[in-house]
Amino acid sequence: MTTTPLLPFSPDCRSGTLVRRIKRFSVECASAQGPFWAHTNNSGSMLGLLRPGSPLLVSPAANPDRKLPYTLELLQCTGFWVGVNTATPNRLLRAAFFAGRLPWAKGYTQFRAEAVRGSSRLDALLTGEGLPPLWVECKNVTMSEAGVAAFPDAVSERAHKHMLEMASIVAAGERAAFFYCIQRPDVACFAPADYVDPRYAEAFYQAAGAGVESHPHLAPASTRGIDLGPELPVKGRRG
């Protein structure tokens, strides 16, 4: 990246290498200054990324009194960085909206995070004069197969529920969109991971047919930060 990324990292970030992941939300790290532990908010499998000895980057916790003082941001995979912080998509969506870098949100002027609709809380609600409400759910994508970015990397009942909720929004005459934040560069298109969660993939294509939008964007990652890249095409249903 030659310009300042939309989400720059703190200068207090720390480098190291991965030792292991334990108890789902903790990673042991090694560095020249000695071992340390970091929190990971990524509940997925992070398939293919958790290789012992892989370089990593952690950021300091906002709360200095937190039990684990660092949060895992990046893991290196065969020469490039992959962003694994699941808070990044929401933050990137907001930054990109206010920077005017979301063509599919043109004309919308207001952004509300964690918006409530009925009994559901969705990641964002965009509104603009004369435009239908646009509800957005953010998903973090770290897995690829044969050049295709894929989500989810583990069976997810919650993700399937979100798909059904978004279809109901479209049926009510409003817009609903998924913002797939693809935090790795080795891909050319996006598809639901039917080989991981076939139920989610089926719901994805059914929702797409009903008008639910999917906007998979590359999110180039480096030790400087995370930026917004171009939107990728969605691959059609297999076979």
Side-chain angles (χ1 to χ4, degrees):
M1 291 177 287
T2 58
T3 59
T4 302
L6 278 174
L7 298 180
F9 285 136
S10 163
D12 296 322
C13 284
R14 184 174 180 181
S15 298
T17 57
L18 178 69
V19 176
R20 57 177 174 151
R21 178 193 195 183
I22 66 165
K23 297 181 180 178
R24 198 176 185 188
F25 295 112
S26 301
V27 289
E28 184 180 2
C29 313
S31 72
Q33 294 75 38
F36 64 96
W37 288 86
H39 170 72
T40 175
N41 56 19
N42 194 318
S43 61
S45 68
M46 289 192 270
L47 190 66
L49 301 178
L50 298 174
R51 299 185 177 98
S54 295
L56 55 75
L57 184 79
V58 298
S59 63
N63 178 5
D65 296 324
R66 197 178 74 178
K67 181 179 179 181
L68 296 178
Y70 296 101
T71 298
L72 182 63
E73 297 285 350
L74 305 177
L75 285 166
Q76 198 168 87
C77 176
T78 59
F80 55 82
W81 290 106
V82 179
V84 296
N85 186 334
T86 55
T88 293
N90 296 60
R91 294 174 57 225
L92 187 61
L93 177 74
R94 183 185 185 93
F97 175 80
F98 286 110
R101 291 176 59 180
L102 298 175
W104 46 273
K106 185 177 181 180
Y108 288 85
T109 56
Q110 301 296 316
F111 183 104
R112 178 151 47 108
E114 296 294 315
V116 175
R117 186 182 189 276
S119 60
S120 299
R121 185 181 298 274
L122 300 169
D123 289 330
L125 170 61
L126 314 185
T127 54
E129 187 175 355
L131 297 172
L134 170 53
W135 300 85
V136 185
E137 270 293 301
C138 301
K139 301 297 181 186
N140 195 50
V141 182
T142 62
M143 187 173 69
S144 74
E145 182 190 40
V148 180
F151 178 89
D153 66 357
V155 174
S156 175
E157 182 61 35
R158 182 170 180 266
H160 180 261
K161 179 174 177 284
H162 283 158
M163 193 64 70
L164 299 180
E165 288 174 341
M166 298 295 263
S168 72
I169 290 172
V170 172
E174 301 176 351
R175 288 180 66 190
F178 284 95
F179 171 65
Y180 290 99
C181 180
I182 303 169
Q183 293 198 73
R184 59 184 302 154
D186 60 332
V187 292
C189 60
F190 170 83
D194 55 1
Y195 48 90
V196 172
D197 191 343
R199 189 162 173 254
Y200 177 83
E202 182 63 26
F204 175 94
Y205 288 116
Q206 287 182 355
V212 175
E213 304 167 34
S214 291
H215 299 289
H217 280 266
L218 285 176
S222 77
T223 54
R224 295 176 61 235
I226 311 291
D227 204 8
L228 182 76
E231 184 171 350
L232 298 183
V234 176
K235 191 176 181 182
R237 188 194 298 258
R238 294 200 290 190

